Amino acid sequence: MSALGCARLALLVIVAQHFSAARDSGPHRVRLDLAGLGDAHDGALRGRSTQRGPGFEPGDPAPPFQVRTLGGQFVYPPPSGPNVSLVIHGFSNKSAFLECLWTRSASLADLVQGFPESAHALFLSVDDTAPSDALWMREQIRQAALSLRREEVLSRMHFSPVPVHELGNWIPRVLYAWGCAGINCGFDQVVFTCPEFEVPLVAKRLDARYDWLTAGWKPKLYSVAEAGDGCEPAAAVSGAVAWLSEGNCSFFTKVKNMASSGAAGVLVYASPGNPIQDMDCEGTECFTALEIPASMVHVEPAVVQALRNKQPVTVSFQKTPSPNFFIAVDQQGTLAETGWFLYPTFSFVNWQAQWFDFSAQLQRRLTVPAQVLTVFENVVMQGDPGAVATVDLPLGVTDFDVLQLEVALSCPGKRDETCAAWDHTVQLYICCDKFSPLCGLELGRWITAFHRGTGHWLTDVSPLMPLLNGKKCTFTMQTAPWAMPWVSGLHLRFSHSNQSGDGSDPLRPFKLEPLFKGGTFDHDYNSRYQPVSFTVPQATKKVEVYAVITGHGSDDNGCGEFCVTSHHFLVNGVFNNSLVFDTAGTALGCTARVGEGAVPNEGGTWLYGRAGWCDGLQVNPWKIDVTQQLNMTGRNSILYFGLFRGKDPNPKTNPGMITMYSYLVFYK
Ligand SMILES: *[C@@H]1O[C@H](CO)[C@@H](O)[C@H](O)[C@H]1NC(C)=O
Ligand SMILES: *[C@@H]1O[C@H](CO)[C@@H](O)[C@H](O)[C@H]1NC(C)=O
Ligand SMILES: *[C@@H]1O[C@H](CO)[C@@H](O)[C@H](O)[C@H]1NC(C)=O
Ligand SMILES: *[C@@H]1O[C@H](CO)[C@@H](O)[C@H](O)[C@H]1NC(C)=O
Ligand SMILES: *[C@@H]1O[C@H](CO)[C@@H](O)[C@H](O)[C@H]1NC(C)=O
Ligand SMILES: *[C@@H]1O[C@H](CO)[C@@H](O)[C@H](O)[C@H]1NC(C)=O
C-alpha cells in the first residue's frame, strides 16, 4: 500500500462517517458523493429526448474524417484499418483544469508512459489560438517523451492547428452536443466584484482535489481578505475567503491555517508566469480532514490592487458549460465517451484507451463458438424484484464443461449521464428445482459502474454447472433496490474446454455442496462459523473450494471495503488456504484492473483498491484445489474464518459486511 493510499484511506473513512448520517446510502454505501451531482443527473434524464441528434450518440459509428495537422493530415480510419482507438481532445486554456493537465510534469509523464500501443490521440484546440496551442501541446509532449525515452509515442499523437470551429467535419458537433458539466469539465470560474471594477472580473479556477477537500463552494457572495502566504494563521480572514500567494509552505498548511482562522474558504493565486497547480495534500497531511473549500487561480492585478486599497472585494463561484474536452472512438469504430477525469492527469486518457483494448479482446472472445442461452436482453433491473426470467435449459447443455456468463449493464439512455450512481453489488441467483437445497444460490456477482454504461464482462463459472439441476431455471439479478435502473443483458455461453490437449476427457463438476455465507464483520464474525463435516463421493477425482467474497461498508478501520482482510478455509484442521485482499485501500488499486474489464473514469472513487472487488467489474471467484488435503475415504472437515490484519475484526462503530457464497465442488 502506498503512503498516499493509506492517507487517503484514513481520510475517506473520516469523511464517510461524516457523510453517512446525511445520506440514505443503504448497507454498503457510506462514502463521498459529489455536490450537485443528483440535480445535474435528473436534468440530463429529463432533457434527453429533445437533445438527441441522430447518428452522433455513444455507440453510433464514427464517420470517416480528415484533419490538417502540424505534420500533414490525420485520416480516420487510418490506412492500417480501424483496429485502433482514437481519443480526441478539445483543449481550451479557458479551463484551469486543462491548463494544469498540460503543465503538470506528472500528468505528461503518465501520458507518454502509459498510452497504449493500440491508441492514437488527436489534439485540437477550441480557442482562437489553435495554431500556437498545437505547437505548444506538441512541445509539452515532446519534452516529456524525450526525457523518458518514449519518443515512439509521438508517432501516435496528432496535433491540429485548425481551431475546432473551423474543422468543417462532425467532430465539433459531438464536442458541443456531449458538452460536460461534471467534475473538472466545463469552465469552473471565480467572479470578483468591487466598487472599483466597471464590470465583474471572471477568471478560471481549479478546485482542490475533491477526495482531499470535500467541502464545496456555496452559491453565495463571499468577501475576500488578503492574508499573505497563509503559512501562519491570520485572524483577519474570519468569515471571508482568504487570498493567498503560492509557496513558502504546502497547500495543506495554508488551508489548515485558514480553517483554524475561521476563513470560509481559500483562494491561492499562482505567482506571475506560473501555471495553476493541482492543490493536493501529501503523505501524512492527508490524515487531517479540512472542512473548507479551496481553489487555485492566476494572480489578478486588479484584485491585488483593490485589496491593497482596502476596497471591499467579493467573490462568487460559477461553472459555465463548455464543449466536451475528450471524446473517443473505440477499436470497433464507434463513438464513445471517456468518463470523468477526477484530477489533472492524462492517466484518465490511458485508462480509457486500455479499456478499449479490453473491449476489443472481449469482442474476439465472444466470437469463439458456443451454445448461447439468452436469459435477459435489455431487461430493466430495478427495485426489489430486480430482473427475473425463467428459461428452458436446452437439452444437453450440461454435457458442456465450460459455462461462461456474458453480462452487460447499460443505462436508460445512450449517454453516461443517464446512468445510475454508486458502485452497488449486483448478484445473480439461480433456481432450477425449487425443492433442491441448491435453489436460490448465487451464480455470479458484479459491481455496477458509477455513472457509466459500458460495463460488459465474460465470467467463467464452470464449477457451478451443478446449480443447473432442472429443465427450467429462474434467474434473478438484483442490485440495491433504491438504485436507479440498469438495463441488463445476460447470456449463458456453453462450450467445450480445450485444456487437456492430450485427448483425455476434461473433469466435470458433478456435485456441489453449499458452504459458508458472509455476514457482519464484527468481533463475533468468526465465532459464528462452525466446521462443516463431509465425505467425498465415490469416483471423485478432484475437489475444489469455490468462493466469491467481497467486503463492504466502512467501520472505524475502513472495513470491509477499504481495509486489508484475509479469508481462510481450514481443511482438516491443518491446511490453511488463505487469500489476502492486499490492495484494498491503495490509491490506484482498481486502475490496475482496467485491462480485465474494470470500467474506468467513473464518478466517485473507482480508482482505489477494494476488498475483493472493483467498481464496474465482475467479482472473480477464488478457486482452491483441496484434493490433496482430503481423506477420500473418510470424514473431512472445513472451516472458514476471516481476519482484519491477521486478527479478528474489532470495529468500534458501524461494522462492515462480508458478502460471501462458497461451495465445495466435486469433479469426476
Ligand atoms: C494559458 O493561460 C495562462 C494565463 O491564463 C497563460 O499564462 C498561459 O501562457 C496560457 N497558456 C497557453 C498555452 O496559451
Ligand atoms: C491493425 O491491423 C493492421 C492490418 O491488419 C495490422 O498491421 C496492425 O498491426 C493492426 N494494429 C493493431 C494495433 O492491432
Ligand atoms: C515567503 O516568505 C518570505 C519571508 O517571510 C516573504 O518575504 C515572501 O514574500 C513570501 N513569499 C510569498 C510568495 O509570499
Ligand atoms: C485445441 O488446442 C489445440 C492446441 O492448442 C489447437 O490446435 C486446436 O485447434 C484446439 N481445438 C479447438 C476446438 O479449439
Ligand atoms: C481416512 O479415513 C479412513 C476412515 O475413517 C481411515 O481409516 C483412514 O486411516 C483415513 N486416512 C488417512 C490418511 O487419514
Ligand atoms: C492461517 O493463516 C493466517 C495467516 O495467513 C494466520 O493468521 C492464521 O492464524 C492461520 N490459521 C490457522 C488455524 O492456521
Side-chain angles (χ1 to χ4, degrees), residues 91 93 99 129 132-133 136 204 273-274 298:
F91 173 74
N93 202 22
E99 180 190 325
T129 48
S132 59
D133 292 344
W136 177 75
K204 58 188 170 183
N274 283 359
H298 282 286

Side-chain angles (χ1 to χ4, degrees), residues 21 42 64 81 126 134 168 172 186 210 246-247 262 318 381 432-433 459 466 471 490 548 568 594 597 613 622 630 667:
D42 292 342
V126 304
Y210 89 107
E246 70 168 313
Q318 67 180 22
M381 170 175 63
C432 302
D433 171 3
T459 313
K471 292 200 178 93
L490 168 63
V548 175
H568 308 269
V594 171
W613 59 277
W622 176 28
L630 300 180
Y667 292 80

Side-chain angles (χ1 to χ4, degrees), residues 228-231 244-249 254 269 271:
D229 59 14
C231 298
L244 306 178
S245 63
E246 70 168 313
N248 281 353
C249 61
K254 292 175 198 285
Y269 59 85
S271 302

Side-chain angles (χ1 to χ4, degrees), residues 631 633-635:
N631 183 335
T633 56
R635 292 213 77 79

Side-chain angles (χ1 to χ4, degrees), residues 556-574:
D556 49 306
N557 297 312
C559 290
E561 180 170 356
F562 289 119
C563 72
V564 174
T565 56
S566 60
H567 302 271
H568 308 269
F569 285 92
L570 186 67
V571 174
N572 287 331
V574 288

Side-chain angles (χ1 to χ4, degrees), residues 351 354 423 447 561-562 583-602 605-617:
W351 291 322
Q354 285 171 17
D423 39 358
I447 309 291
E561 180 170 356
F562 289 119
T583 61
T586 56
L588 296 174
C590 282
T591 66
R593 301 191 61 191
V594 171
E596 296 169 49
V599 176
N601 304 357
E602 298 175 40
T605 55
W606 68 276
L607 309 87
Y608 301 149
R610 287 163 161 85
W613 59 277
C614 287
D615 292 30
L617 186 61

Side-chain angles (χ1 to χ4, degrees), residues 176-196:
Y176 300 148
W178 299 5
C180 45
I183 191 162
N184 286 330
C185 206
F187 299 135
D188 286 327
Q189 293 160 339
V190 285
V191 182
F192 294 106
T193 57
C194 172
E196 281 185 0

